Amino acid sequence: APRIIGVIVPDIVTHFFASILNGIENMAIANGYFVIITTSHESYEHEKRNIENLVNMRVEGIIACLSQETMDYSHFSALKDINMPLIMFDRVCLTDQFSSVIADGVQSAQMATQHLLDNGSKRVAFIGGANHLDIVKKRKHGYLEALRDNRIPIEKELVVCRKIDYEEGKIATETLLSLPQPPDAILAMNDTLAFAAMEVIKSHGLRIPDDVAIIGYTDEQHANYVEPKLSAVSHQTYKMGEAACRLLIEQIKGDKTVRQVMIPTHLQIRESSIKPSP
């Protein structure tokens, strides 16, 4: 019988997850494993069912990224009781019990915000997802740290955390642009939100970066497909997938150490973030 590992991703359409899956699968194949990919569709109920089904299929281990809805982690902690190896990636929980692979959320958001402030932006807003997600907390924390470092007062209305979703990103941007003192820059927490923000900024007849500068979180490819080209925090998604799979295989072989692997990101400067000199 084939040796099988199960993977749960929030969706398979975003390039971010597709690229991570690519890294997981290649590493798995190289080690004689077959991968079953399941999708939670950002739903807690789906995620619970995926875990149940994978356990019943007797996979040897599971790699998972939390859905946006998940706030109760008992279906994950239950895996401990049956000795099912579990590795979390990107959106993680129970990091004291399970190994995980994450990006440097705090540092990358701090770097991105600092870059905007160094390049002519004065009022930087932050668009995030639901506050209970650790990746939202970390990136928001990095953004706030940069404001503190620059002695810029924190204004609550410049931080809009709703949901990681295109329509929600548009609503968030509309909200920001309708403020009495709208922001002249936006840090968007992922590519879906960044592209939504760009659409709304343009629909208001505003120019990027002249009126509103923007930095997103995305991958190498998509940032180049938009106009202007998007400055972005770029994830090494393939590496994240490889690392998660490597950790899982070590656990299957009996290594019980709980590790948190941080994969560095880099700030890719393109056209959307540098304001023309006055």
Side-chain angles (χ1 to χ4, degrees):
R3 307 194 65 177
I4 307 175
I5 58 181
V7 182
I8 305 173
V9 283
D11 76 65
I12 44 180
V13 289
T14 21
H15 184 273
F16 181 83
F17 292 118
S19 175
I20 286 178
L21 286 169
N22 199 15
I24 291 174
E25 193 162 37
N26 287 345
M27 176 62 70
I29 291 167
N31 286 276
Y33 285 88
F34 175 71
V35 181
I36 289 182
I37 296 163
T38 67
T39 310
S40 70
H41 301 284
E42 299 286 13
S43 145
Y44 166 69
E45 289 304 330
H46 273 273
E47 183 179 273
K48 273 202 323 196
R49 202 171 323 132
N50 291 349
I51 290 267
E52 220 170 290
N53 289 335
L54 290 171
V55 168
N56 290 336
M57 290 174 75
R58 298 200 161 49
V59 298
E60 291 190 41
I62 294 172
I63 300 174
C65 173
L66 292 180
S67 92
Q68 279 186 71
E69 284 182 14
T70 306
M71 295 168 84
D72 166 13
Y73 309 128
S74 47
H75 52 305
F76 288 115
S77 36
L79 295 175
K80 263 269 179 286
D81 309 332
I82 60 167
N83 290 318
M84 172 67 73
L86 168 71
I87 307 292
M88 309 285 297
F89 71 89
D90 191 47
R91 305 179 199 162
V92 301
C93 64
L94 308 174
T95 47
D96 52 330
Q97 296 176 52
F98 299 107
S99 291
S100 54
V101 177
I102 57 166
D104 54 350
V106 178
Q107 201 196 340
S108 62
Q110 191 168 0
M111 224 166 44
T113 309
Q114 187 62 53
H115 166 78
L116 287 166
L117 295 169
D118 291 344
N119 287 279
S121 297
K122 308 246 185 303
R123 287 174 65 70
V124 183
F126 176 83
I127 301 180
N131 281 308
H132 66 266
L133 288 173
D134 63 299
I135 56 167
V136 179
K137 287 185 195 142
K138 289 207 171 92
R139 290 174 199 178
K140 182 162 62 178
H141 179 70
Y143 156 80
L144 295 171
E145 284 292 288
L147 296 186
R148 284 187 202 105
D149 291 347
N150 293 272
R151 298 192 171 69
I152 295 171
I154 288 159
E155 299 176 57
K156 283 202 170 58
E157 59 273 22
L158 289 181
V159 179
V160 188
C161 290
R162 294 170 62 99
K163 212 177 156 196
I164 301 170
D165 169 85
Y166 197 80
E167 288 308 313
E168 293 278 351
K170 283 168 67 173
I171 295 167
T173 312
E174 290 287 357
T175 309
L176 288 168
L177 295 181
S178 65
L179 289 170
Q181 283 187 288
D184 66 351
I186 291 173
L187 174 61
M189 198 204 89
N190 86 339
D191 51 2
T192 307
L193 296 173
F195 298 145
M198 290 179 89
E199 185 189 322
V200 171
I201 292 166
K202 290 177 186 173
S203 74
H204 280 248
L206 298 168
R207 292 160 309 164
I208 304 170
D210 314 44
D211 302 311
V212 187
I214 184 163
I215 292 185
Y217 270 72
T218 174
D219 55 81
E220 297 298 43
Q221 281 167 308
H222 289 70
N224 286 308
Y225 299 159
V226 286
E227 184 53 47
K229 294 191 190 332
L230 179 67
S231 292
V233 174
S234 166
H235 282 88
Q236 302 186 67
T237 39
Y238 187 83
K239 253 196 178 148
M240 285 176 81
E242 282 188 323
C245 194
R246 192 180 298 119
L247 280 174
L248 185 68
I249 290 165
E250 283 165 13
Q251 305 244 311
I252 291 171
K253 290 179 175 162
D255 182 352
K256 294 288 177 256
T257 330
V258 176
R259 297 192 174 84
Q260 189 156 48
V261 176
M262 193 181 283
I263 305 285
T265 55
H266 58 274
L267 187 57
Q268 195 72 41
I269 305 305
R270 297 187 182 90
E271 299 158 14
S272 70
S273 62
I274 300 178
K275 290 190 182 293
S277 310

